[in-house]
C-alpha cells in the first residue's frame, strides 16, 4: 500500500495534469503520434485531444506540434516547453512519492 499525490488541480479541484497526461505525452514522444499514443492507452483520439487541450489551457503553452502529411504521413512531437515541463513534473512526482512514503511509514508503521 502507498499514498501518492502528483496531480495538478485548478482552484475548483478539477484535475488538469497527472499520470494520464504524462503517459500520453511520453507516448507521443515514443510513437510520434497523438493517435498512436491514445490507442496505446485505450483512449479515443477525441478524449486524448481533450486531455491535452485542458492541460495546455491550464499551463499556458502548447504541449505538442503537429507535423502535417508528407511521404511518411503526419504526426506530433512535443514542444520544448512540454519536454522541460515533463522533466520537472517527473522529478516532482518522484519527490512526492518519496515524501509520502516517509510520511506513511511515520504515521502507519507498527
Amino acid at each position: 500500500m502507498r499514498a501518492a499525490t502528483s496531480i495538478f488541480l485548478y482552484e475548483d479541484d478539477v484535475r488538469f495534469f497527472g499520470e494520464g497526461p504524462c503517459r500520453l505525452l511520453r507516448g507521443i514522444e515514443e510513437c510520434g503520434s497523438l493517435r498512436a499514443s491514445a490507442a496505446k492507452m485505450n483512449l479515443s483520439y477525441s478524449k486524448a485531444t481533450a486531455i491535452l487541450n485542458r492541460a495546455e489551457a491550464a499551463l499556458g503553452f502548447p504541449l505538442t506540434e503537429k507535423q502535417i502529411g508528407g511521404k511518411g504521413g503526419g504526426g506530433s512531437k512535443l514542444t520544448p516547453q512540454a519536454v522541460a515541463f515533463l522533466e520537472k513534473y517527473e522529478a516532482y512526482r518522484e519527490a512526492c512519492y518519496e515524501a509520502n512514503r516517509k510520511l506513511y511509514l511515520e504515521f502507519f508503521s507498527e
Side-chain angles (χ1 to χ4, degrees):
M1 184 184 316
R2 71 178 180 158
T5 303
S6 58
I7 60 171
F8 296 159
L9 306 171
Y10 286 110
E11 293 297 319
D12 58 0
D13 291 336
V14 174
R15 181 190 320 212
F16 70 85
F17 201 87
E19 284 306 295
C22 180
R23 286 180 36 229
L24 185 63
L25 290 171
R26 287 299 183 199
I28 292 169
E29 194 172 51
E30 180 184 318
C31 302
S33 161
L34 174 58
R35 190 174 301 279
S37 180
K40 188 174 174 182
M41 293 177 64
N42 294 316
L43 289 176
S44 70
Y45 179 77
S46 61
K47 174 79 172 175
T49 300
I51 288 169
L52 286 185
N53 288 341
R54 184 170 49 246
E56 288 176 338
L59 295 169
F61 55 83
L63 294 170
T64 61
E65 297 173 348
K66 292 179 178 70
Q67 299 168 321
I68 306 299
K71 188 175 183 179
S76 295
K77 69 177 192 173
L78 302 185
T79 63
Q81 297 100 322
V83 172
F85 177 79
L86 279 178
E87 288 173 5
K88 288 179 186 177
Y89 170 79
E90 289 172 339
Y92 169 79
R93 177 190 62 202
E94 294 308 313
C96 286
Y97 286 159
E98 183 59 26
N100 281 331
R101 185 188 69 76
K102 288 177 182 175
L103 287 169
Y104 178 84
L105 291 173
E106 179 182 328
F107 284 92
F108 298 105
S109 68
E110 300 191 33

